[in-house]
Amino acid sequence: MTTVVQAGADAPASGPAPSWPPDWDRVLDNAIRTWGGQWNTARVQQLYAVRYGRRLYREDARAFLSRRARQGVMRLHDQPNARYYTLRTTGKGNPS
């Protein structure tokens, strides 16, 4: 059966947009400061899956890391075959 949508008709309501856990930024920051090292989208996705038991899209993981870099918390390392972030530190090795 074929249906025709009338011009100007409202689209069917979709489900609610996914909501982020309210503590997500704190969890990510704590993990970065605790474990250090290189952070890429896959590592953020793993953290999210372990902490919340559900999937995180790659572009969302990238957005979290990119935002942290813009805020000066992390430093981007953009190499030919790898893109990752590290915690920005002071000259003495302490987190800034």
Side-chain angles (χ1 to χ4, degrees), residues 76-95:
L76 170 63
H77 303 270
D78 197 4
Q79 304 195 352
N81 294 324
R83 180 185 193 120
Y84 63 90
Y85 296 80
T86 56
L87 183 64
R88 185 178 295 271
T89 57
T90 63
K92 299 174 184 143
N94 298 324

Side-chain angles (χ1 to χ4, degrees), residues 27-50:
V27 168
L28 179 59
D29 288 339
N30 188 41
I32 291 167
R33 292 182 196 291
T34 301
W35 297 315
Q38 298 177 0
W39 285 84
N40 58 19
T41 55
R43 191 170 180 192
V44 172
Q45 287 175 303
Q46 287 175 331
L47 172 66
Y48 194 89
V50 169

